[in-house]
Amino acid sequence: MKPIGLSTFRCVAIPDARARRTFAGIALGLLLTFATLPQIATAQERPRYRLAPGDILQLGVFGVADFGRRVTVNVDGDISVPFLGEVQAEGLTLKDLRIALSEGLTKDGRIQSADVTVEMVEHRPFYISGDVSRPGAVPYRPGLTVRHAIALAGGYDALRFRTENPLMTAPDLQSENEGLWIDFARQQALVISLKSEITGTTEIDLTPIYSVPLARKTLDEIADFERNDLKMRLENYAKQRTHLQTLLQDTEKTLVSLKDTQKSNAESLRLQQDALDRASKSASKGLVASNRVDDERRSLSELRSRSTDTDSRVDQTQRQKEEVARNIEQQDEQRRTQLNYNLREATITLEKLSSRLQASSEKLLYTGAVKAQLRGGGGGPELIIHRKIDGRVVDLSAREDTEILPDDVLDVSIRPEQMVAIARGQ
């Protein structure tokens, strides 16, 4: 039949207004009728739903309350119906089954003009497998597409790594990865500066940290911070050492002075002892008064007391000097021990960060790859529907808008080698 278009209607002069309105209505009706013809044909092409084992139905007969019941199509394709027993339902549409039950009940004679209703309560499930979060059986609902099925199964799950929403997880992973790289660069700079400090080098070469994939400004800030931190550590150590050296020098000067006093006291004691001996001889001969001997003895006693005090101060200062010298040695030893400990801890932390970075980079790699596939780059996930048609299973290539039917098995596949290739190419 030749298509009818606007050009088909010839312009005819119709003088009467009512006739013109009537003709316009007829023409509009014809146009609308022909415009809807393709849509009707499309709807008729859609396959009718046919019952199969697992479908749950609600049966009823108008005016017969006891007849109403819920039945399930069993593995043999039958349903159990009052008065009729087992009735074949598999392969029938709801309309076909309704007609069959109505005819059967009428023929049986128990119910006259049976007005049977057959309603679908629950469809048999379909199945989804492969790279989704929750593979398995999924309840069917009319109008479901592959996109709906994947959403009901929890989204894509490539290599057991959740990526149902990679557009949301990718920024978080990117931020985490960048933070780990910053920590890695700081720790690497710390390791370099500690090694330099152990060897006594004041100038450190932080060139290795610039291989880290961060902005140049960020790396410059990390390098400047570590240089300043090393400078502060060296200055603090130098101050402590200078303080101890000054204290040692002051102690040595005090000790020299005390030893000179000690020698002077010893000489004074010797002279005073000689004076006491002479005064005692003279007193025994009656040449001097006895109180002169007492004065000489008191003087000798005072000198001995000062000498004893000086000796005690010499011993104390000597011990102080030895303690300061020992503190200087311990300071160097403790510093070396602390630096080695800090270097070991920093190296261990660096290794841990390296492992975490590897894991984070792999997550980012897979997320970026899946995101690229979901956007259509690189072909996307492979979607195959295994559908039973005329008694045999047929594999159908599907898209996300492909409609799902009961008993379908949807297989979702995201191949790792394709993902890595896509990610590296981005």
Side-chain angles (χ1 to χ4, degrees), residues 131 157-162 366 370 414-417 419-420:
D131 294 324
D157 187 352
L159 298 179
R160 299 298 177 263
F161 174 66
R162 292 298 300 275
Y366 293 138
V370 174
I414 301 177
R415 292 191 294 273
E417 64 273 10
M419 292 170 58
V420 173

Side-chain angles (χ1 to χ4, degrees), residues 52-55 57 71-81 85-90 97:
D55 287 329
L57 308 173
V71 297
T72 302
V73 182
N74 60 30
V75 293
D76 296 327
D78 301 331
I79 59 173
S80 180
V81 182
E86 299 294 325
V87 176
Q88 180 69 28
E90 183 176 7
L97 180 60

